[in-house]
């Protein structure tokens, strides 16, 4: 958890804990072994004043006047809730580690992520506790989570040891005439100790965006237009997250030293989706992208919860939020709670060069949970259209026949800008940048020896979404990479080195493919693939190739195979039958529609199913 490279000489491993004098002897040792900056936890000031929410002193930043048209939310006054002594500060490093332990242990016990989120919305984890296994609190909480997952009809229960943490202290009533009253939840919001549980909904984002636009317009009307570092004016409706945090988030939360989510919410909001993005993208554009994701995945726009760091972190104490290092950061903890991650890619593709975005992709693509998904979405400015590259399929990826999903998916995702696909295909961790040098060092260390896997996965993710099918089907012009290697060969090499779990390829109804296409594709499937869907192309050799790789154990993760209209014959069907008969086979879904396997092939499948 130190966020530093492993030294050659042995070091004593210590479990995460709040900063103390015990860290002092460790730092010279680290500096002698490592040519890098100290980790976050060791850079904290030991006598640092705790974050106090009920301190309503005037913020350091000037509070702008209320813009015309922005009215305060009407709500009855509520009694103030006194703060717990242990509820005023950010979660300790050991508790952050404990929260990660809880999420990982719940997954190992097959607790669905949706069930875990439901439980965590009801009961907050302890903000200050020893890390497991030293603390019985985490074990008690895990026991209740597992029991609740086995009987979801019963109300979730709280361990007696945790009852004192379940009092959600309210952010104090804001003073009359508070400039940001329109952003304050009825009752004044609540304290959410665990940063990973500070999600936002699209309606909340719309409120923020509306307020930002009006504040920006009011500033311009006063002759005080917001200006970017390059000297350009910020247009109303075009504010990015750098400007939103500077002009709204920090001033609005300054006197309470809370996050914007805590000011706006009345309960913890565990995220359904983790949002990975570049802050330079417009907030309005990001909202359009998230709306499109909800539409493509068939999710309720009003209730789906997203984790966005700008609104989840306490921006006045970001260092405190990062206490404990990169690997236990709020980003990593939120990824453990969410069911999926979504990369909102800006029009310029800067996203692929930002170090924190790299770390998020690493945990979403290379080290994900079993059922975790990763999606990409961007906004086409020329058509004012958001386009998603989904891992798997969307609710509309169905044609006239049930087996047309590959074609529908390809046609929908073909609108994703080709220049952004090329940016992803050129992804290189060595070119990643960060605002803080120490962040970059720690992030590269967290990725460690998996740099090649991360780079290949990001590239293959882009290739398989839009270009690999074209190349295999002979629908794209012959191209050479910078190394002089054919583009098809490079794509297949990236696919093989990747950690992709879902591979979907549409072959453009090509019945005259080169004979070795099926064998090439099978040879280059990554060992992590669990869901393989190929359609509309003559690749009979694919089935026999799958048999070879399955029986040798190099595709042990494969669980779903759909080979639709792939010109499979009796030999291919019998090969798949032998796969099904193998004791190591994990395939639970096999779709061979529109393949003429004949009676002999059908008997071979039947033998396998016995």
């Amino acid at each position: 958890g130190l966020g530093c490279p492993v030294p050659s000489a042995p070091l004593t491993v210590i479990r995460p804990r709040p900063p103390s004098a015990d860290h002092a002897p460790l730092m010279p040792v680290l500096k002698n072994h490592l040519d890098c900056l100290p980790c976050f936890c060791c850079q904290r000031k030991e006598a640092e004043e705790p974050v106090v929410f009920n301190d309503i002193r005037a913020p350091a930043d000037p509070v702008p006047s209320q813009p015309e048209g922005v009215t305060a939310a009407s709500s009855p006054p509520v009694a103030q809730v006194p703060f717990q002594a242990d509820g005023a500060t950010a979660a300790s490093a050991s508790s952050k580690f404990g929260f990660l332990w809880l999420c990982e242990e719940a997954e190992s016990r097959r607790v669905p992520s949706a069930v875990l989120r439901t439980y965590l919305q009801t009961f907050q984890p302890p903000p200050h506790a020893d890390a497991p296994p030293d603390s019985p609190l985490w074990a008690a909480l895990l026991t209740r989570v597992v029991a609740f997952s086995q009987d979801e009809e019963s109300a979730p229960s709280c361990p007696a040891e945790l009852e004192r943490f379940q009092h959600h202290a309210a952010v104090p009533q804001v003073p009359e005439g508070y400039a940001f009253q329109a952003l304050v939840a009825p009752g004044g919001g609540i304290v959410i100790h665990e940063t990973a549980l500070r999600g936002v909904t699209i309606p909340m984002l719309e409120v923020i965006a509306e307020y930002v636009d009006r504040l920006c317009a009011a500033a311009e009307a006063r002759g005080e237009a917001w200006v970017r570092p390059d000297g350009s004016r910020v247009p109303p409706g075009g504010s990015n997250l750098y400007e939103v945090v500077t002009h709204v988030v920090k001033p609005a939360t300054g006197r309470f030293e809370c996050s914007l989510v805590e000011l706006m919410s009345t309960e913890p909001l565990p995220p359904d989706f983790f949002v990975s993005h570049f802050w330079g993208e417009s907030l309005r554009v990001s909202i359009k992208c998230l709306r499109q994701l909800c539409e493509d995945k068939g999710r309720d726009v009003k209730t789906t919860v997203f984790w966005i760091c700008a609104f989840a972190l306490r921006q006045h104490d970001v260092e405190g939020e990062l206490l404990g290092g990169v690997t236990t950061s709020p980003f990593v903890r939120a990824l453990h709670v969410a069911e999926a991650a979504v990369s909102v890619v800006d029009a310029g593709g800067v996203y692929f060069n930002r170090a924190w975005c790299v770390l998020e992709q690493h945990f979403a693509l290379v080290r994900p949970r079993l059922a975790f998904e990763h999606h990409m979405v961007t906004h086409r400015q020329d058509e004012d259209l958001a386009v998603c590259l989904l891992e798997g399929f969307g609710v509309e990826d169905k044609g006239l026949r049930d087996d047309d999903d590959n074609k529908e998916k390809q046609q929908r995702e073909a609108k994703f800008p080709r220049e952004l696909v090329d940016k992803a295909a050129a992804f290189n961790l060595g070119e990643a940048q960060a605002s803080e040098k120490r962040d970059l060092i720690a992030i590269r260390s967290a990725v460690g020896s998996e740099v090649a896997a991360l780079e290949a996965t990001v590239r293959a993710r882009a290739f398989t979404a839009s270009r690999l099918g074209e190349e295999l089907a002979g629908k794209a012009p012959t191209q050479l990479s910078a190394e002089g290697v054919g583009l098809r060969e490079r794509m297949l090499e990236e696919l093989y080195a990747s950690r992709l779990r879902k591979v979907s390829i549409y072959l453009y109804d090509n019945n005259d493919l080169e004979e070795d296409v099926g064998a090439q594709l099978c040879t280059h499937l990554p060992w992590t693939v669990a869901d393989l869907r190929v359609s509309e192309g003559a690749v009979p050799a694919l089935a026999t190739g799958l048999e070879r790789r399955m029986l040798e154990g190099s595709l042990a993760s494969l669980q779903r195979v759909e080979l639709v209209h792939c010109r499979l014959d009796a030999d291919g069907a019998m090969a798949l039958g032998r796969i099904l008969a193998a004791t190591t086979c994990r395939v639970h879904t096999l779709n061979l529609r529109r393949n003429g396997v004949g009676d002999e092939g059908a008997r071979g499948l039947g033998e396998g199913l016995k």
Side-chain angles (χ1 to χ4, degrees):
L2 294 175
C4 303
V6 178
S8 55
L11 286 178
T12 302
V13 178
I14 59 170
R15 59 177 174 77
R17 60 175 181 260
S20 69
D22 294 340
H23 282 71
L26 181 62
M27 292 314 301
V29 178
L30 285 174
K31 289 179 179 178
N32 289 336
H33 284 286
L34 310 175
D35 184 19
C36 71
L37 296 177
C39 61
F40 294 122
C41 61
C42 301
Q43 291 187 340
R44 298 279 292 168
K45 296 178 182 178
E46 295 184 14
E48 187 173 12
E49 183 179 346
V51 180
V52 181
F53 275 50
N54 56 351
D55 180 2
I56 55 174
R57 294 167 294 179
D61 299 325
V63 178
S65 58
Q66 188 84 348
E68 184 178 355
V70 177
T71 58
S74 58
S75 60
V78 295
Q80 289 305 294
V81 181
F83 276 76
Q84 299 284 345
D86 56 5
T89 58
S92 65
S94 56
S95 281
K96 294 172 183 179
F97 178 82
F99 184 81
L100 278 178
W101 176 88
L102 173 68
C103 295
E104 292 172 352
E105 288 296 313
E107 182 195 1
S108 69
R109 288 162 171 75
R110 300 187 181 277
V111 175
S113 62
V115 173
L116 179 63
R117 287 193 296 276
T118 299
Y119 196 96
L120 292 174
Q121 188 169 15
T122 306
F123 298 112
Q124 288 208 53
H128 302 287
D130 288 337
D134 295 349
S135 171
L137 296 179
W138 297 106
L141 185 55
L142 177 63
T143 300
R144 296 303 196 280
V145 169
V146 173
F148 177 57
S149 71
Q150 296 169 348
D151 183 14
E152 295 181 42
E153 298 299 323
S154 63
S157 59
C158 179
E161 304 96 317
L162 299 182
E163 288 181 355
R164 68 190 184 96
F165 298 112
Q166 303 316 313
H167 175 73
H168 299 324
V171 173
Q173 188 75 34
V174 298
E176 185 176 353
Y178 184 56
F180 297 93
Q181 180 67 50
L183 298 177
V184 181
I190 65 166
V191 175
I192 305 173
H193 303 295
E194 175 48 60
T195 313
L197 305 182
R198 301 178 197 153
V200 292
T201 61
I202 287 181
M204 292 170 68
L205 292 174
E206 293 282 9
V207 170
I208 297 171
E210 182 69 18
Y211 191 92
V212 169
D213 292 348
R214 293 184 180 181
L215 200 65
C216 181
E220 188 170 88
R222 297 194 305 269
E224 303 172 356
W226 298 351
V227 179
R228 290 176 174 152
D230 63 2
S232 62
R233 179 184 61 86
V234 178
S239 302
N240 61 38
L241 281 181
Y242 290 110
E243 291 135 15
V244 171
V245 169
T246 298
H247 296 287
V248 175
V249 175
K250 285 186 175 180
T253 60
R255 59 178 62 195
F256 310 114
E257 297 186 358
C258 64
S259 68
L260 190 60
V261 168
E262 291 171 290
L263 199 64
M264 297 181 69
S265 182
T266 57
E267 62 181 348
L269 291 174
D272 301 304
F273 292 93
F274 176 96
V275 179
S276 176
H277 59 138
F278 166 50
W279 275 28
E281 184 62 284
S282 159
L283 176 59
R284 285 289 187 186
V285 167
S286 296
I287 293 174
K288 286 182 181 180
C289 290
L290 298 181
R291 279 186 172 276
Q292 188 64 51
L293 176 69
C294 288
E295 181 178 329
D296 286 354
K297 294 296 293 181
R299 303 297 294 264
D300 189 335
V301 173
K302 295 182 179 179
T303 59
T304 301
V305 181
F306 300 90
W307 194 89
I308 300 177
C309 59
F311 309 126
L313 299 183
R314 295 169 181 169
Q315 293 295 336
H316 296 271
D317 186 30
V318 173
E319 188 177 334
E321 296 276 33
L322 296 176
L323 176 66
V326 167
T327 54
T328 57
S329 67
F331 306 91
V332 176
R333 303 201 305 277
L335 279 164
H336 275 73
V337 176
E339 68 182 59
V342 53
S343 296
V344 179
V345 183
D346 59 290
V350 178
Y351 171 85
F352 296 108
N353 291 326
R354 300 305 298 173
W356 278 106
C357 297
V358 167
L359 180 72
E360 292 155 4
Q361 289 180 86
H362 175 63
F363 280 94
L365 289 169
V366 179
R367 292 188 185 177
R369 304 190 309 273
L370 289 177
F372 196 82
E373 292 185 337
H374 173 260
H375 313 294
M376 295 171 63
V377 59
T378 193
H379 180 261
R380 289 187 65 117
Q381 297 176 336
D382 54 346
E383 300 182 30
D384 192 20
L385 172 72
V387 185
C388 294
L389 296 182
L390 301 180
E391 183 175 20
F393 296 84
V395 293
E396 298 298 326
D397 290 339
K398 293 289 182 183
L400 298 177
R401 298 182 300 268
D402 287 342
D403 50 49
D404 276 348
D405 49 5
N406 258 8
K407 181 177 181 179
E408 297 296 317
K409 174 182 171 69
Q410 187 277 331
Q411 290 177 341
R412 175 179 55 77
E413 296 185 347
K415 297 178 182 178
F416 198 89
R418 181 60 63 95
E419 56 270 22
L420 291 184
V421 172
D422 292 340
K423 284 270 189 180
F427 171 72
N428 187 328
L429 178 60
E431 298 176 357
Q433 300 175 352
S435 301
E436 296 287 341
K437 182 179 178 181
R438 64 178 183 178
D439 290 0
L440 186 58
I441 293 173
I443 289 168
R444 287 177 175 170
S445 174
V447 175
S449 62
E450 296 177 312
V451 171
L454 172 60
E455 292 178 341
T457 304
V458 173
R459 295 167 187 165
R461 179 83 176 82
F463 280 148
T464 57
S466 62
R467 301 186 65 175
L468 183 56
E470 289 181 358
E471 289 292 331
L472 294 175
K475 297 294 185 180
T478 301
Q479 298 183 51
L480 294 179
S481 67
E483 297 78 18
V485 179
L487 190 57
R488 178 198 294 187
E489 288 71 21
R490 183 196 165 196
M491 289 181 181
L492 290 171
E493 289 171 1
E494 300 288 8
L495 177 63
Y496 183 72
S498 76
R499 301 284 179 85
L500 290 184
R501 294 152 297 167
K502 298 182 181 182
V503 176
S504 166
I505 298 176
Y506 173 69
L507 295 173
Y508 292 84
D509 295 312
N510 191 336
N511 297 323
D512 299 315
L513 294 175
E514 299 173 16
E515 291 185 5
D516 63 343
V517 166
Q520 278 188 334
L521 177 58
C522 185
T523 300
H524 290 87
L525 289 175
W527 63 269
T528 51
V529 67
D531 187 328
L532 173 65
R533 307 191 195 194
V534 182
S535 65
E536 305 299 335
V539 285
L542 184 57
T544 53
L546 286 175
E547 178 189 14
R548 174 182 58 80
R549 292 202 58 188
M550 288 285 287
L551 296 183
E552 71 184 19
S554 60
L555 287 181
S557 300
L558 195 59
Q559 300 177 35
R560 183 186 186 102
V561 178
E562 297 200 15
L563 307 177
V564 176
H565 202 202
C566 289
R567 305 299 187 273
L568 298 187
D569 53 18
D571 290 340
M574 288 189 289
L576 293 173
R578 291 189 289 272
I579 291 175
L580 297 176
T583 56
T584 56
C585 178
R586 299 176 62 191
V587 174
H588 58 65
T589 300
L590 180 63
N591 179 0
L592 300 178
R593 286 178 178 171
R594 301 168 62 203
N595 287 288
V597 301
D599 292 346
E600 187 178 1
R603 282 193 291 271
L605 287 171
E607 288 297 320
L609 289 171
K610 286 182 180 180

